[in-house]
């Protein structure tokens, strides 16, 4: 048997990716686990044009004109829902938001029936957030269009992982570091790792791209399966911070905690809160990130969250993450609808 020939190379990306649909060979975006480096880098590169567009006064492209995108959010959200809505609208799609609080879900409709209903409306892409890990895949299996996971339980939040990677890459490139800055980058992810889908997606993306990821949490908030991921676990935040280039803080997800996971917010801050003093242990010029919403004064102090600095100094990139979120979601919506739009090479 002869091996299949390698896919042709796309000259538009200087040969960095396979051409057309081979650059991202999936119908859905359910998670970042298992995606190869070239697929992650392809999505990051695609987002760059949208960062540029979003900084113009006229922020509109009509790539998705005539397409309907449904944002089906079964769990509350401010920034992710708004970000997907703005992303779809800037690409010219008709965007409809379904809030679980006012939908038939409250009347007892099963997830599968909701999926079949959304499908019958002939959406061209469905963006789903759900409190249960795996619920988004369940819906994806029942519908005919691409599905984007906007966060499912404690499983994954792939567009957050991508937008964080984009934020990191742009920052280190701005400092004049050439090429892909992930190789050997020391990233600390600290906080409620157990309940965090953001942590999981970031771990998959950053380790795949070559970063050294340290995960720090109190023993009660460290997932048992952490040993299986390519990260170094810490319980001592000061030790984890030593020489770190990126410090990513996570929210204490009190709504997902039944019982006592942390002694008290005060004690939690004492051991795991990011203060200015603590940040001094990281590398000079370290960047601070947080996916939001923040508990100021618990996992992060306001003087760190609001730290502005020149490009080479230690600083907070929390609002930059929000900006990158819109561009990243535009890229994902564009790429996942290419097949349906008949884009050359993607049919
Ligand atoms: C996160 C989420 O909902 O997973 N927020 C977000 O999407 N920006 C993190 C969190 O809720 O703490």
């Amino acid at each position: 048997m002869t091996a299949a020939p390698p896919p042709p190379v796309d000259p538009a990306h200087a040969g960095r990716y396979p051409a057309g649909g081979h650059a991202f060979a999936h119908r859905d975006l359910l998670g970042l686990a298992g995606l190869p480096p070239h697929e992650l880098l392809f999505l990051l590169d695609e987002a760059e044009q949208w960062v540029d567009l979003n900084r113009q006064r006229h922020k509109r492209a009509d790539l998705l004109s005539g397409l309907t995108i449904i944002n089906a959010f079964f769990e509350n959200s401010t920034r992710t829902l708004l970000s997907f809505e703005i992303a779809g609208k800037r690409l010219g799609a008709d965007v409809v938001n379904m809030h679980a609080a006012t939908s038939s879900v409250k009347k007892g409709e099963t997830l599968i029936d909701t999926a079949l209903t959304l499908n019958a409306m002939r959406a061209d892409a469905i963006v789903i957030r759900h409190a249960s890990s795996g619920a988004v895949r369940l819906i994806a299996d029942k519908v005919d269009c691409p599905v984007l996971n906007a966060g499912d339980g404690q499983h994954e939040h792939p567009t957050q992982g991508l937008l964080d990677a984009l934020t990191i890459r742009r920052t280190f490139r701005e400092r004049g570091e050439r090429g892909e800055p992930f190789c050997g980058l020391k990233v600390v992810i600290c906080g409620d790792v157990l309940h965090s889908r953001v942590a999981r997606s970031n771990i998959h993306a950053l380790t795949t791209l070559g970063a050294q990821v340290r995960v720090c949490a109190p023993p009660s908030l460290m997932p048992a399966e952490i040993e299986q991921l390519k990260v170094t676990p810490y319980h001592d935040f000061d030790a984890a911070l030593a020489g770190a280039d990126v410090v990513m803080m996570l929210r204490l997800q009190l709504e997902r905690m039944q019982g006592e996971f942390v002694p008290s917010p005060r004690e939690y801050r004492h051991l795991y809160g990011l203060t200015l003093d603590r940040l001094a242990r990281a590398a000079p010029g370290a960047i601070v990130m947080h996916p939001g919403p923040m508990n100021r004064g618990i996992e992060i102090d306001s003087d760190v969250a609001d730290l502005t600095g020149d490009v080479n100094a230690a600083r907070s990139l929390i609002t930059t993450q929000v900006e990158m979120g819109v561009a990243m979601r535009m890229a994902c919506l564009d790429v996942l609808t290419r097949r349906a739009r008949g884009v050359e090479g993607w049919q």
Side-chain angles (χ1 to χ4, degrees):
M1 213 174 97
T2 51
V9 155
D10 188 349
H13 286 295
R16 274 155 50 94
Y17 315 114
H22 297 286
F24 188 79
H26 312 272
R27 191 198 70 167
D28 306 307
L29 181 64
L30 303 181
L32 302 183
L35 295 189
H38 80 259
E39 290 190 333
L40 297 172
L41 294 172
F42 172 70
L43 293 175
L44 299 190
D45 283 356
E46 285 290 323
E48 295 286 353
Q49 63 192 301
W50 305 122
V51 178
D52 296 339
L53 180 82
N54 290 341
R55 290 181 176 180
Q56 309 291 314
R57 196 185 66 80
H58 184 91
K59 305 172 182 58
R60 187 71 186 258
D62 62 0
L63 274 188
L64 304 195
S65 149
L67 267 52
T68 303
I69 297 172
I70 301 181
N71 291 325
F73 277 56
F74 298 88
E75 201 188 50
N76 289 339
S77 165
T78 310
R79 76 200 72 219
T80 306
L81 176 58
L82 257 180
S83 183
F84 268 111
E85 182 174 358
I86 291 172
K89 287 184 171 163
R90 288 199 180 152
L91 290 173
D94 296 312
V95 181
V96 185
N97 295 335
M98 191 204 87
H99 302 277
T102 50
S103 72
S104 291
V105 177
K106 282 273 180 264
K107 300 180 188 169
E109 186 171 75
T110 68
L111 198 56
I112 303 295
D113 282 333
T114 307
L116 296 176
T117 304
L118 297 177
N119 198 46
M121 289 174 181
R122 303 187 72 92
D124 298 289
I126 305 179
V127 180
I128 304 168
R129 169 168 284 200
H130 199 284
S132 303
S133 309
V136 176
R137 177 176 294 276
L138 204 69
I139 298 180
D141 288 344
K142 297 285 171 206
V143 301
D144 301 313
C145 67
V147 168
L148 292 89
N149 180 2
D152 64 328
Q154 305 171 19
H155 174 227
E156 281 228 38
H157 191 350
T159 56
Q160 181 74 44
L162 290 166
L163 77 89
D164 288 338
L166 183 65
T167 305
I168 293 171
R169 187 175 79 166
R170 286 180 61 94
T171 302
F172 287 96
R173 278 190 177 169
E174 215 183 324
R175 291 180 179 174
E177 295 182 18
R178 292 162 55 83
E180 299 305 337
F182 295 105
C183 209
L185 194 75
K186 295 187 186 71
V187 182
V188 178
I189 302 178
C190 178
D192 183 356
V193 183
L194 179 67
H195 298 106
S196 179
R197 52 202 178 203
V198 174
R200 276 173 192 72
S201 289
N202 264 292
I203 289 170
H204 293 309
L206 294 170
T207 55
T208 302
L209 293 172
Q212 293 171 16
V213 180
R214 305 167 182 176
V215 170
C216 180
S220 59
L221 294 176
M222 183 72 89
E225 82 272 13
I226 201 74
E227 303 291 342
Q228 284 143 44
L229 302 170
K230 295 186 212 90
V231 300
T232 314
Y234 286 79
H235 298 308
D236 178 344
F237 192 20
D238 291 331
L241 277 172
D245 303 300
V246 178
V247 185
M248 191 180 287
M249 301 305 295
L250 302 172
R251 184 175 67 92
L252 264 189
Q253 303 208 3
L254 297 165
E255 78 281 11
R256 296 190 202 278
M257 296 183 193
Q258 275 119 31
E260 296 287 301
F261 279 87
V262 287
S264 72
R266 210 182 126 113
E267 190 160 343
Y268 182 84
R269 175 183 177 273
H270 179 64
L271 292 172
Y272 295 101
L274 188 60
T275 60
L276 271 183
D277 279 353
R278 275 224 164 92
L279 184 59
R281 295 175 182 271
I287 60 173
V288 175
M289 302 173 76
H290 192 304
M294 285 183 271
N295 296 307
R296 286 175 182 258
I298 301 183
E299 72 264 3
I300 189 164
D301 276 11
S302 277
D303 48 9
V304 179
D306 302 330
L307 191 67
T308 52
D310 78 43
V311 70
N312 294 307
R315 62 192 177 133
S316 161
L317 293 180
I318 296 169
T319 53
T320 307
Q321 290 172 266
V322 178
E323 181 190 3
M324 294 306 131
V326 177
M328 202 61 244
R329 288 166 181 132
M330 289 170 83
C332 293
L333 289 170
D334 165 23
V335 168
L336 290 182
T337 56
R338 284 185 188 175
R339 193 156 291 124
R341 289 187 285 129
V343 173
E344 204 187 327
W346 288 75
Q347 296 89 341

